[in-house]
Amino acid sequence: MTTITSNWQAVHAAIAAAARAAGRDPATVDLLAVSKTFPASAVREAYAVGQRAFGENYVQEAVEKMAELADLPIEWHFIGPIQSNKTRSIAEHFAWVHGVDRPKIAARLSEQRPAGLPPLNICLQVNISGEDSKSGVRPGEVEALAQAIAGLPNLRLRGLMAIPAPASGETERAPFARMRELQQQLNAHGFRLDTLSMGMSHDFAAAIHEGATLVRVGTAIFGPRNYGETT
Ligand SMILES: *Cc1c(COP(=O)(O)O)cnc(C)c1O
Protein backbone atom coordinates (compact mmCIF):
# COMPACT_ATOMS: atom_id res chain seq x y z
CA MET A 1 0.00 0.00 0.00
CA THR A 2 1.36 3.46 -0.85
CA THR A 3 1.73 6.16 1.78
CA ILE A 4 -1.04 8.25 0.23
CA THR A 5 -3.39 5.27 0.31
CA SER A 6 -2.72 4.42 3.95
CA ASN A 7 -2.75 8.10 5.01
CA TRP A 8 -6.06 8.63 3.26
CA GLN A 9 -7.57 5.60 4.94
CA ALA A 10 -6.32 6.79 8.34
CA VAL A 11 -7.77 10.31 7.80
CA HIS A 12 -11.04 8.85 6.63
CA ALA A 13 -11.25 6.67 9.74
CA ALA A 14 -10.30 9.58 12.03
CA ILE A 15 -13.03 11.77 10.49
CA ALA A 16 -15.62 9.05 11.04
CA ALA A 17 -14.43 8.52 14.62
CA ALA A 18 -14.59 12.27 15.38
CA ALA A 19 -18.10 12.45 13.93
CA ARG A 20 -19.32 9.48 15.99
CA ALA A 21 -17.69 10.89 19.14
CA ALA A 22 -19.68 14.09 18.54
CA GLY A 23 -22.89 12.13 18.03
CA ARG A 24 -22.91 12.89 14.30
CA ASP A 25 -23.41 10.68 11.27
CA PRO A 26 -19.97 10.35 9.56
CA ALA A 27 -21.74 10.78 6.21
CA THR A 28 -22.41 14.44 7.13
CA VAL A 29 -18.69 15.31 6.98
CA ASP A 30 -17.03 15.61 3.56
CA LEU A 31 -13.30 15.35 3.07
CA LEU A 32 -11.63 17.83 0.74
CA ALA A 33 -8.13 16.58 -0.12
CA VAL A 34 -5.83 19.59 -0.42
CA SER A 35 -3.37 18.74 -3.19
CA LYS A 36 -1.55 22.07 -3.59
CA THR A 37 2.15 21.62 -4.41
CA PHE A 38 1.63 17.90 -5.10
CA PRO A 39 1.74 16.48 -8.63
CA ALA A 40 -1.14 15.08 -10.64
CA SER A 41 0.15 11.58 -9.89
CA ALA A 42 -0.56 12.13 -6.16
CA VAL A 43 -4.10 13.25 -6.96
CA ARG A 44 -4.55 10.17 -9.14
CA GLU A 45 -3.49 7.94 -6.25
CA ALA A 46 -5.95 9.54 -3.84
CA TYR A 47 -8.65 9.29 -6.49
CA ALA A 48 -7.97 5.57 -6.85
CA VAL A 49 -8.73 5.04 -3.12
CA GLY A 50 -12.04 6.88 -3.47
CA GLN A 51 -11.31 10.60 -3.03
CA ARG A 52 -13.33 12.81 -5.41
CA ALA A 53 -13.00 16.43 -4.18
CA PHE A 54 -9.63 18.19 -4.30
CA GLY A 55 -8.60 21.65 -3.10
CA GLU A 56 -6.02 23.91 -4.74
CA ASN A 57 -4.61 27.35 -3.78
CA TYR A 58 -2.74 28.47 -6.88
CA VAL A 59 -4.70 28.95 -10.11
CA GLN A 60 -1.91 28.27 -12.59
CA GLU A 61 -0.74 25.13 -10.80
CA ALA A 62 -4.32 23.89 -10.50
CA VAL A 63 -5.21 24.44 -14.15
CA GLU A 64 -2.15 22.49 -15.28
CA LYS A 65 -3.07 19.62 -12.97
CA MET A 66 -6.67 19.65 -14.21
CA ALA A 67 -5.44 19.23 -17.78
CA GLU A 68 -3.40 16.18 -16.78
CA LEU A 69 -6.38 14.73 -14.89
CA ALA A 70 -9.08 15.57 -17.43
CA ASP A 71 -10.01 11.88 -17.67
CA LEU A 72 -11.22 11.85 -14.02
CA PRO A 73 -14.53 13.40 -12.84
CA ILE A 74 -12.91 15.35 -10.01
CA GLU A 75 -14.71 18.13 -8.14
CA TRP A 76 -12.21 21.01 -7.85
CA HIS A 77 -12.34 23.55 -5.00
CA PHE A 78 -10.41 26.80 -4.99
CA ILE A 79 -9.29 27.51 -1.42
CA GLY A 80 -6.51 30.11 -1.85
CA PRO A 81 -6.57 33.91 -1.64
CA ILE A 82 -8.39 35.35 -4.67
CA GLN A 83 -6.75 38.05 -6.78
CA SER A 84 -9.11 40.01 -9.05
CA ASN A 85 -7.06 39.20 -12.13
CA LYS A 86 -7.54 35.47 -11.46
CA THR A 87 -11.33 35.42 -11.08
CA ARG A 88 -12.01 34.48 -14.71
CA SER A 89 -9.83 31.42 -14.57
CA ILE A 90 -11.32 30.43 -11.20
CA ALA A 91 -14.88 30.87 -12.52
CA GLU A 92 -14.07 28.75 -15.56
CA HIS A 93 -12.35 25.85 -13.87
CA PHE A 94 -13.67 25.28 -10.37
CA ALA A 95 -16.91 23.94 -8.84
CA TRP A 96 -16.40 25.63 -5.45
CA VAL A 97 -14.63 28.74 -4.12
CA HIS A 98 -14.03 28.93 -0.37
CA GLY A 99 -12.22 32.21 0.22
CA VAL A 100 -14.73 34.87 -0.87
CA ASP A 101 -14.56 37.93 1.38
CA ARG A 102 -15.39 40.91 -0.89
CA PRO A 103 -18.52 41.76 -2.90
CA LYS A 104 -16.41 42.87 -5.85
CA ILE A 105 -14.74 39.46 -6.13
CA ALA A 106 -18.11 37.73 -5.88
CA ALA A 107 -19.57 39.95 -8.62
CA ARG A 108 -16.67 39.14 -10.94
CA LEU A 109 -16.98 35.40 -10.30
CA SER A 110 -20.69 35.53 -11.12
CA GLU A 111 -20.15 37.61 -14.28
CA GLN A 112 -17.34 35.39 -15.48
CA ARG A 113 -18.96 32.02 -14.75
CA PRO A 114 -19.36 30.48 -18.22
CA ALA A 115 -22.91 29.89 -19.46
CA GLY A 116 -23.70 26.20 -19.41
CA LEU A 117 -21.87 25.47 -16.15
CA PRO A 118 -23.89 25.08 -12.94
CA PRO A 119 -23.69 27.98 -10.46
CA LEU A 120 -20.37 28.29 -8.67
CA ASN A 121 -20.65 27.13 -5.04
CA ILE A 122 -19.41 29.80 -2.64
CA CYS A 123 -18.24 29.85 0.96
CA LEU A 124 -17.60 33.19 2.65
CA GLN A 125 -14.34 33.38 4.52
CA VAL A 126 -14.70 34.65 8.07
CA ASN A 127 -11.79 36.06 10.06
CA ILE A 128 -13.07 34.24 13.10
CA SER A 129 -10.01 34.73 15.30
CA GLY A 130 -9.83 38.48 14.56
CA GLU A 131 -6.26 38.35 13.28
CA ASP A 132 -5.04 41.51 11.57
CA SER A 133 -3.03 39.61 9.01
CA LYS A 134 -5.78 37.25 7.92
CA SER A 135 -8.17 37.52 5.04
CA GLY A 136 -11.85 37.07 5.68
CA VAL A 137 -14.67 39.34 6.79
CA ARG A 138 -15.31 40.13 10.42
CA PRO A 139 -18.16 38.13 11.93
CA GLY A 140 -20.32 41.27 12.15
CA GLU A 141 -19.96 41.87 8.40
CA VAL A 142 -20.84 38.38 7.20
CA GLU A 143 -24.54 38.97 6.82
CA ALA A 144 -24.13 42.07 4.64
CA LEU A 145 -21.75 40.16 2.38
CA ALA A 146 -24.14 37.19 2.23
CA GLN A 147 -26.92 39.61 1.25
CA ALA A 148 -24.81 41.06 -1.56
CA ILE A 149 -24.01 37.61 -2.91
CA ALA A 150 -27.52 36.21 -2.66
CA GLY A 151 -28.55 38.37 -5.62
CA LEU A 152 -25.82 37.18 -7.99
CA PRO A 153 -27.23 34.84 -10.64
CA ASN A 154 -24.32 32.49 -11.26
CA LEU A 155 -23.26 31.88 -7.67
CA ARG A 156 -24.80 29.62 -5.07
CA LEU A 157 -24.03 30.66 -1.52
CA ARG A 158 -23.36 27.43 0.37
CA GLY A 159 -21.73 28.39 3.64
CA LEU A 160 -18.89 29.77 5.68
CA MET A 161 -15.19 29.00 5.76
CA ALA A 162 -12.52 29.80 8.32
CA ILE A 163 -8.88 29.19 9.20
CA PRO A 164 -8.75 29.89 12.95
CA ALA A 165 -5.51 30.91 14.63
CA PRO A 166 -3.56 27.89 15.89
CA ALA A 167 -4.76 26.79 19.32
CA SER A 168 -4.79 23.65 21.38
CA GLY A 169 -6.49 22.13 24.36
CA GLU A 170 -9.60 23.78 25.72
CA THR A 171 -9.47 26.85 23.48
CA GLU A 172 -9.22 24.90 20.23
CA ARG A 173 -12.93 24.43 19.72
CA ALA A 174 -14.11 27.97 20.54
CA PRO A 175 -13.66 29.57 17.07
CA PHE A 176 -15.35 26.59 15.42
CA ALA A 177 -18.29 26.97 17.78
CA ARG A 178 -18.55 30.67 16.87
CA MET A 179 -18.65 29.69 13.19
CA ARG A 180 -21.54 27.32 13.86
CA GLU A 181 -23.40 30.07 15.72
CA LEU A 182 -22.85 32.47 12.82
CA GLN A 183 -24.24 29.92 10.38
CA GLN A 184 -27.29 29.37 12.60
CA GLN A 185 -27.80 33.13 12.89
CA LEU A 186 -27.73 33.60 9.13
CA ASN A 187 -30.09 30.69 8.58
CA ALA A 188 -32.46 32.13 11.16
CA HIS A 189 -32.47 35.27 8.98
CA GLY A 190 -33.55 33.36 5.89
CA PHE A 191 -30.30 32.12 4.36
CA ARG A 192 -29.89 28.43 3.60
CA LEU A 193 -26.27 27.70 4.36
CA ASP A 194 -25.56 23.98 4.43
CA THR A 195 -21.75 24.09 4.58
CA LEU A 196 -19.24 24.82 7.32
CA SER A 197 -15.79 24.53 5.72
CA MET A 198 -13.42 24.32 8.66
CA GLY A 199 -10.73 22.07 10.07
CA MET A 200 -7.34 21.12 8.59
CA SER A 201 -4.82 18.34 9.29
CA HIS A 202 -4.07 19.47 12.85
CA ASP A 203 -7.56 20.44 14.01
CA PHE A 204 -10.20 18.63 11.99
CA ALA A 205 -11.43 16.60 14.96
CA ALA A 206 -12.18 19.79 16.93
CA ALA A 207 -13.89 21.31 13.88
CA ILE A 208 -16.04 18.22 13.38
CA HIS A 209 -17.04 18.34 17.02
CA GLU A 210 -18.44 21.84 16.44
CA GLY A 211 -20.27 21.03 13.23
CA ALA A 212 -17.83 21.13 10.29
CA THR A 213 -19.45 19.63 7.19
CA LEU A 214 -16.30 19.85 5.07
CA VAL A 215 -12.74 19.49 6.35
CA ARG A 216 -9.80 20.56 4.19
CA VAL A 217 -6.91 18.17 4.74
CA GLY A 218 -3.56 18.28 2.95
CA THR A 219 -0.52 17.26 5.00
CA ALA A 220 -2.15 14.31 6.75
CA ILE A 221 -2.90 12.77 3.33
CA PHE A 222 -0.04 13.84 1.06
CA GLY A 223 2.74 14.54 3.57
CA PRO A 224 4.66 17.78 4.22
CA ARG A 225 4.71 20.36 1.44
CA ASN A 226 7.87 21.58 -0.23
CA TYR A 227 7.03 25.01 -1.62
CA GLY A 228 10.42 25.31 -3.27
CA GLU A 229 9.57 22.70 -5.85
CA THR A 230 6.37 24.24 -7.18
CA THR A 231 6.25 26.29 -10.33
C1 LIG B 1 -3.18 24.37 2.67
C2 LIG B 1 -4.54 24.56 3.17
C3 LIG B 1 -5.23 23.53 3.85
C4 LIG B 1 -4.58 22.20 4.20
O1 LIG B 1 -3.75 22.34 5.30
P1 LIG B 1 -3.04 21.08 6.00
O2 LIG B 1 -2.58 21.63 7.29
O3 LIG B 1 -1.94 20.66 5.11
O4 LIG B 1 -4.07 20.03 6.17
C5 LIG B 1 -6.53 23.76 4.23
N1 LIG B 1 -7.16 24.93 3.98
C6 LIG B 1 -6.53 25.94 3.34
C7 LIG B 1 -7.27 27.21 3.10
C8 LIG B 1 -5.21 25.80 2.93
O5 LIG B 1 -4.60 26.82 2.33
Side-chain angles (χ1 to χ4, degrees):
M1 211 163 46
T2 68
T3 312
I4 290 175
T5 300
S6 57
N7 285 352
W8 184 87
Q9 288 169 346
V11 168
H12 212 253
I15 288 171
R20 281 192 216 97
R24 300 180 55 197
D25 177 355
T28 61
V29 186
D30 291 325
L31 170 58
L32 180 68
V34 177
S35 46
K36 64 179 178 221
T37 79
F38 289 96
S41 57
V43 172
R44 212 170 267 285
E45 260 185 81
Y47 183 92
V49 214
Q51 183 63 36
R52 292 295 176 270
F54 290 85
E56 290 281 339
N57 292 51
Y58 312 103
V59 180
Q60 180 65 30
E61 178 196 336
V63 169
E64 285 168 15
K65 238 176 267 184
M66 288 172 189
E68 287 181 63
L69 297 163
D71 56 312
L72 304 181
I74 288 174
E75 182 179 85
W76 293 101
H77 293 230
F78 189 77
I79 62 173
I82 308 165
Q83 297 164 321
S84 344
N85 63 349
K86 296 284 166 60
T87 51
R88 182 175 300 280
S89 193
I90 294 171
E92 286 173 356
H93 290 99
F94 288 84
W96 284 72
V97 181
H98 291 243
V100 174
D101 63 1
R102 281 176 288 160
K104 185 183 144 216
I105 291 287
R108 289 175 68 96
L109 289 171
S110 181
E111 256 166 54
Q112 295 169 342
R113 182 70 166 170
L117 289 186
L120 188 55
N121 295 294
I122 300 292
C123 288
L124 306 182
Q125 185 169 357
V126 184
N127 185 352
I128 198 67
S129 303
E131 295 166 282
D132 288 343
S133 60
K134 281 279 173 68
S135 34
V137 287
R138 285 193 293 246
E141 294 165 348
V142 175
E143 187 156 350
L145 181 59
Q147 206 79 57
I149 286 176
L152 298 172
N154 300 321
L155 304 185
R156 186 167 163 219
L157 182 59
R158 295 296 297 271
L160 306 178
M161 177 270 210
I163 310 171
S168 56
E170 286 184 2
T171 55
E172 194 181 26
R173 269 164 49 184
F176 297 126
R178 291 201 297 278
M179 288 290 288
R180 173 171 38 76
E181 285 157 16
L182 260 183
Q183 181 200 24
Q184 287 166 347
Q185 192 183 312
L186 264 73
N187 284 346
H189 292 177
F191 292 94
R192 291 167 162 231
L193 308 184
D194 61 10
T195 302
L196 272 181
S197 165
M198 57 190 196
M200 314 189 352
S201 290
H202 65 283
D203 59 5
F204 67 76
I208 289 169
H209 208 102
E210 296 297 346
T213 64
L214 184 151
V215 293
R216 307 176 311 266
V217 179
T219 311
I221 296 172
F222 297 107
R225 285 181 287 275
N226 182 346
Y227 285 95
E229 284 179 9
T230 55
T231 49

